[in-house]
């Protein structure tokens, strides 16, 4: 509630009394475990108290008439003392975090919802204790038609149980930060193979924390790169997609830079570390996530703002009521003043106000989960409801995340090889690529399968890492790769269509058959089928779509144009995306960021609400506030509609609670007594308080 308060040790906030939480998600969830223990110890006693108190009332609602055992139960001393013992356990053990937080906030002059709950619980409990221990001190106005004094232990106990349950749910929702940071740290291997600088044949396995800048490290096939550095010997291809968001493995040769946390391919190489483990890209992304979570201002709940004004108003009203009856009530002024003042405090118990937000959120989260929309917290729903800008990542979010064959054409049209049909060339190329482990190989195999082509086997296949592959297919020599690789066989003149494909960000692959240029292929990460319709739906709802991508500006602009987005920025690192979100925040924008990769984690954390596509990386899902579990982006407009409906429902609940208070408190104070001669008793006040809660519950269930 107050992120400006920090402490080197665990404890409570000096302003509101809420338990402090570890910065950056480190440590155990002590507050959540504490709420769970207290709730487990409180549920059964609270239910027993509720049944002892409400059973006579419930029984009289049945057509069985007045029964002697009902009166006996109401007047039984053992029942009153049992209620006192059990309710005290619930209030002072189960509700201690609530009471201490509420009282601390009152002492600091910044009352919160806990303050309202504390006043209501202690008033109901204290009044009931006196009614149990010394019922004779109460005047006749306090007594029921059976002669007993009403007790409100069940109100105090059940309020504590409900609040504890809500706090436990919130605590569990906040655990996502810890899981996200741990998943980021898991990208880096725990150990590294360090070489002896004097004799590279000698090596030792050291902890990652022991790696220093300048160390020589060996990276074997299939291992993760320990830290950022440069290749000094060997060659391979590294999958950096989880860090950069780009799906194509990057060829690495002597002098090339490698990123810590990336996954090495089939080759082995020796690298020189440029930074220690704390300075690697993974570590920097981890720090960005931590800082973004720490810097994010908490959403100030409307109920708390109302509480800050309601608490002193209720207490003042109760005092004015007591004084007013003392002055104008005559002989019965004292007794009537006490009755009215207690009724005001009981009827102002914030049950309805406290339930207004969590009930609506609970129903909405359940409805969303059934539709494949997983919301981490009520704050996420509130932030999504007021968002005015939706920023998308490119690869894997607006696109499928898998390169596909988008276009192709002939090369060297005067050469004999050019007589081959496009399908014949694709068939030969797919045969060679079938022997490759490169990510682009799947695109050719998939395209051949879609066209129903039977792919033959290739022999004598040789791969040049990062450049291309060649082999023999049905007696013909087939070479596939970059332009530089093909130009080693023959001069290449790319047609205008191929150059246009490259300009829009496509990966261009050339093929030569029998030493002659044969064809070019443009591979692109195609837009999701639903991307255009989702962007249109967002615009219809008044939101501004934008695109931030780690790919080139040309590729980002081409995709944005294809799906209907006017605002596109390419060449963005994780830090660039974070700075762009901060810039838009300063311009007054309320941002929802949609991503799927580890490189998106800082942006997901920094946005007002982060939304992860369920097919993405675990860290993106753990960092995000909302996850679209299925259907790609199709659930995004539905999630926005649900968030807006939820916030409208919350406002309706708050209005119901406030209208109830504005009408009920004056009546409890005795406003109608001069006209009707009737005075509201604390028992009727408790019943009215229950009716207020039921109205809020009924309205919240409409969200289903």
């Amino acid at each position: 509630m107050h992120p400006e308060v920090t402490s080197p040790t665990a404890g409570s906030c000096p302003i509101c009394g809420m338990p402090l939480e570890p910065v950056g998600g480190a440590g155990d969830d002590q507050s959540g475990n504490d709420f769970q223990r207290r709730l487990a110890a409180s549920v059964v006693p609270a239910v027993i108290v509720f049944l002892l108190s409400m059973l006579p009332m419930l029984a009289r609602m049945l057509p069985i008439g007045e029964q002697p055992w009902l009166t006996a139960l109401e007047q039984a001393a053992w029942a009153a003392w049992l209620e006192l013992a059990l309710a005290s356990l619930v209030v002072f053990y189960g509700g201690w975090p609530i009471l201490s937080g509420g009282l601390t906030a009152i002492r600091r002059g910044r009352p919160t919802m806990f303050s309202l709950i504390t006043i209501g619980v202690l008033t109901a409990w204290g009044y009931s204790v006196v009614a149990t221990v010394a019922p004779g001190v109460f005047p006749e106005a306090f007594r029921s038609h059976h002669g007993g004094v009403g007790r409100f232990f069940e109100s105090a106990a059940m309020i504590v149980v409900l609040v504890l349950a809500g706090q436990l749910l919130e605590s569990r929702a906040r655990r996502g930060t810890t899981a996200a940071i741990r998943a980021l740290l898991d990208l880096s291997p725990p150990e590294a193979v360090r070489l002896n600088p004097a004799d590279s044949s000698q090596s030792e396995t050291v902890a990652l924390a022991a790696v220093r800048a300048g160390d020589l490290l060996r990276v074997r096939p299939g291992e993760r790169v320990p830290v950022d550095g440069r290749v000094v010997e060997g060659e391979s291809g590294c999958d950096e997609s989880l860090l950069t968001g780009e799906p194509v493995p990057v060829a690495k040769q002597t002098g090339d830079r490698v990123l810590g946390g990336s996954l090495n391919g089939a080759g082995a190489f020796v690298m020189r570390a440029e930074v220690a483990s704390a300075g690697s890209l993974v570590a920097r992304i981890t720090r960005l996530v931590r800082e973004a979570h720490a810097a994010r201002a908490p959403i100030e709940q409307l109920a708390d703002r109302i509480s800050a004004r309601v608490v002193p108003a209720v207490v003042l009203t109760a005092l004015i009521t007591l004084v007013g009856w003392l002055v104008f009530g005559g002989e019965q002024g004292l007794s009537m003043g006490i009755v009215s003042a207690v009724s005001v405090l009981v009827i102002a118990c914030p049950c309805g106000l406290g339930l207004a937000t969590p009930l609506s959120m609970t129903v909405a989260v359940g409805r969303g989960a059934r539709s494949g929309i997983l919301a981490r917290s009520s704050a996420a729903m509130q932030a999504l409801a007021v968002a005015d800008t939706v920023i998308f990542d490119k690869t894997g979010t607006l696109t499928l995340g898998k390169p596909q064959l988008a276009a192709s054409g002939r090369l060297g049209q005067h050469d004999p090889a050019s007589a081959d049909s496009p399908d014949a060339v694709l068939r030969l190329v797919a045969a060679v690529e079938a022997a490759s482990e490169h990510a682009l190989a799947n695109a050719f195999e998939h395209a051949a399968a879609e066209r129903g082509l039977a792919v033959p086997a290739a022999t004598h296949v040789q791969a040049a890492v990062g450049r291309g592959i060649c082999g023999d297919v049905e007696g013909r020599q087939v070479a596939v790769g970059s332009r530089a690789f093909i130009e080693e066989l023959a001069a290449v003149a790319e047609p205008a269509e191929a150059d246009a494909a490259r300009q829009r960000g496509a990966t261009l692959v050339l093929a030569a058959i029998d030493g002659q240029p044969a064809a070019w292929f443009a591979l692109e990460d195609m837009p999701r089928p639903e991307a255009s319709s989702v962007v249109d739906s967002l615009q219809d709802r008044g939101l501004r779509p934008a695109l931030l991508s780690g790919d080139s500006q040309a590729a980002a602009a081409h995709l944005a144009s294809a799906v209907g987005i006017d605002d596109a920025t390419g060449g963005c690192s994780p830090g660039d995306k974070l700075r762009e979100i901060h810039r838009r925040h300063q311009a007054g924008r309320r941002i929802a960021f949609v991503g799927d990769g580890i490189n998106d984690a800082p942006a997901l954390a920094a946005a007002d609400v982060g939304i992860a596509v369920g097919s993405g990386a675990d860290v993106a899902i753990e960092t995000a506030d909302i996850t679209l579990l299925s259907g790609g982006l199709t659930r995004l407009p539905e999630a926005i509609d649900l968030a807006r409906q939820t916030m409208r429902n919350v406002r309706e609940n708050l209005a119901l609670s406030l209208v109830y208070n504005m009408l009920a408190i004056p009546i409890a104070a005795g406003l109608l007594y001069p006209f009707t001669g009737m005075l509201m008793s604390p028992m009727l006040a408790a019943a009215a308080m229950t009716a207020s809660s039921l109205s809020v519950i009924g309205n919240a269930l409409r969200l289903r």
Side-chain angles (χ1 to χ4, degrees):
M1 295 176 67
H2 302 98
E4 70 275 13
V5 176
T6 59
S7 170
T9 59
S12 299
C13 174
I15 297 177
C16 64
M18 291 282 285
L20 297 178
E21 296 190 356
V23 175
D28 297 327
D29 184 20
Q30 297 179 359
S31 61
N33 294 335
D34 184 53
F35 282 128
Q36 186 172 0
R37 286 192 299 269
R38 294 179 186 274
L39 178 62
S42 302
V43 169
V44 173
V47 170
I48 294 175
V49 171
F50 178 81
L51 291 176
L52 287 174
S53 174
M54 302 302 293
L55 194 58
M57 180 185 299
L58 296 175
R60 289 193 179 96
M61 296 174 63
L62 301 175
I64 61 175
E66 185 72 22
Q67 298 292 326
W69 65 271
L70 296 176
T71 303
L73 181 61
E74 287 180 314
Q75 298 178 346
W78 64 266
W81 285 99
L82 181 58
E83 287 182 29
L84 169 59
L86 295 177
S88 298
L89 171 66
V90 174
V91 169
F92 292 102
Y93 174 72
W96 180 248
I98 301 167
L99 301 182
S100 61
L103 293 174
T104 299
I106 292 174
R107 287 198 304 268
R108 297 285 179 176
R110 300 178 67 170
T112 64
M113 277 300 302
F114 275 12
S115 302
L116 277 176
I117 294 169
T118 297
I119 289 178
V121 167
L122 291 181
T123 299
W125 179 85
Y127 173 88
S128 302
V129 168
V130 177
T132 302
V133 176
V137 305
F138 288 93
E140 194 63 30
F142 280 72
R143 302 183 182 275
S144 66
H145 63 284
H146 293 292
V149 179
R151 301 181 300 272
F152 309 105
F153 286 125
E154 80 287 347
S155 297
M158 294 306 296
I159 289 172
V160 167
V161 168
L162 289 172
V163 175
L164 283 175
Q167 291 299 307
L168 178 60
L169 291 176
E170 289 186 17
S171 177
R172 287 181 173 176
R174 289 192 294 266
R175 292 183 188 177
T177 304
T178 302
I181 293 175
R182 287 178 179 170
L184 279 170
L185 295 175
D186 286 344
L187 277 182
S188 297
E191 298 175 330
V193 178
R194 183 167 61 189
L195 304 183
N196 187 331
D199 184 0
S200 60
S201 63
Q202 297 181 0
S203 63
E204 61 175 336
T205 301
V206 299
L208 183 64
V211 174
R212 298 291 181 263
D215 286 350
L216 291 177
L217 308 174
R218 174 174 286 121
V219 182
R220 292 172 291 216
E223 292 183 341
R224 289 201 177 273
V225 178
V227 297
D228 299 354
R230 292 191 181 275
V231 177
V232 297
E233 179 185 324
E235 58 183 24
S236 185
C238 290
D239 183 355
E240 300 176 348
S241 58
L242 289 180
L243 294 168
T244 65
E246 300 313 311
V248 180
V250 181
K252 301 296 181 182
Q253 300 177 3
T254 301
D256 290 340
R257 191 165 185 265
V258 289
L259 299 178
S262 60
L263 183 63
N264 185 27
F269 59 88
V270 176
M271 60 171 287
R272 187 180 301 278
E274 293 184 334
V275 294
S277 59
S280 67
L281 180 60
V282 171
R284 294 200 302 273
I285 292 178
T286 303
R287 285 195 296 272
L288 288 174
V289 174
R290 284 176 171 166
E291 291 167 2
H293 272 289
R296 185 193 334 216
I299 297 176
E300 188 179 5
Q301 296 294 338
L302 182 58
D304 278 332
R305 295 198 297 269
I306 295 173
S307 301
R309 295 167 175 79
V310 168
V311 171
V314 169
V315 175
L316 181 61
T317 301
L319 291 175
I320 292 175
T321 299
L322 177 60
V323 172
W325 278 105
L326 288 174
V327 174
F328 303 106
E331 295 181 356
Q332 298 294 320
L334 177 60
S335 62
M336 290 186 174
I338 295 175
V339 170
S340 299
V342 171
S343 296
V344 167
L345 289 173
V346 171
I347 208 168
C349 187
C351 211
L353 192 61
L355 290 173
T357 300
L359 265 181
S360 297
M361 292 299 178
T362 300
V363 175
V365 167
R367 172 181 155 187
R370 290 192 299 271
S371 301
I373 303 167
L374 180 62
R376 190 175 300 279
S377 66
S378 58
M381 299 292 285
Q382 183 171 351
L384 183 59
V386 300
D388 54 29
T389 302
V390 179
I391 300 178
F392 293 94
D393 171 52
K394 173 180 173 287
T395 304
T397 303
L398 281 176
T399 68
L400 296 172
K402 298 178 181 178
Q404 297 183 10
L405 184 59
S408 61
R410 292 185 174 182
L411 288 173
Q413 54 184 323
H414 297 296
D415 297 316
S418 65
D420 289 317
S421 67
D423 283 354
V425 175
L426 176 60
R427 178 173 171 271
L428 298 176
V429 169
V432 175
E433 290 286 358
S436 172
E437 297 180 355
H438 198 280
L440 297 180
N442 292 330
F444 291 101
E445 295 181 69
H446 182 69
E450 281 190 334
R451 301 183 189 185
L453 303 177
V455 179
T459 59
H460 304 101
V461 177
Q462 294 181 338
V465 177
R467 301 174 63 237
I469 189 171
C470 60
D472 296 338
V473 184
E474 296 180 339
R476 308 186 71 177
Q477 295 179 345
V478 181
V480 187
S482 65
R483 176 170 180 168
F485 181 68
I486 298 301
E487 282 186 334
E488 293 179 0
L489 304 175
V492 174
E494 291 181 1
E497 296 89 340
D499 185 63
R502 178 183 282 112
Q503 292 300 320
R504 67 172 181 261
T507 299
L508 213 62
V509 177
L510 308 184
I513 299 177
D514 294 331
Q516 299 296 323
W520 60 270
F521 302 92
L523 303 180
E524 294 184 31
D525 190 8
M526 303 302 290
R528 288 180 179 269
E530 73 275 12
S532 295
S533 60
V534 167
V535 170
D536 290 341
S537 298
L538 297 180
Q539 292 173 332
D540 291 341
R541 287 164 173 77
L543 292 115
R544 299 182 182 180
L547 173 64
L548 295 179
S549 174
D551 210 339
S552 66
Q553 178 62 36
H558 175 70
L559 175 67
S561 176
V563 300
I565 296 178
D566 297 328
D567 182 359
T569 305
C572 296
S573 66
D576 292 334
K577 292 181 181 180
L578 193 61
R579 284 186 286 274
E580 181 63 21
I581 288 177
H582 288 327
R583 184 186 68 81
R584 295 178 187 241
H585 273 151
Q586 293 172 357
R589 312 308 302 176
R590 290 169 293 191
I591 297 170
F593 185 88
V594 187
D596 78 314
I598 288 177
N599 62 306
D600 297 324
L604 287 166
D608 296 283
V609 56
I611 303 173
V613 180
S615 58
D618 290 343
V619 171
I621 294 173
E622 290 290 349
T623 305
D625 303 294
I626 295 175
T627 301
L628 308 179
L629 295 175
S630 60
L633 295 173
T634 54
R635 299 295 185 188
L636 181 56
E638 182 180 345
I640 293 171
D641 290 341
L642 176 61
R644 291 178 174 179
Q645 293 169 11
T646 302
M647 292 313 302
R648 183 164 58 248
N649 190 268
V650 168
R651 288 191 290 270
E652 292 169 354
N653 287 345
L654 292 173
L656 284 172
S657 298
L658 290 176
V659 168
Y660 152 80
N661 277 325
M662 286 188 294
L663 295 177
I665 290 178
I667 295 175
L671 180 65
L672 298 181
Y673 183 80
F675 308 102
T676 63
M678 295 178 61
L679 194 65
M680 178 178 286
S681 71
M683 287 185 293
L684 290 178
M689 179 186 66
T690 302
S692 169
S693 300
L694 290 176
S695 67
V696 170
I697 292 171
N699 189 58
L701 290 178
R702 291 173 52 243
L703 280 172
R704 294 175 63 88

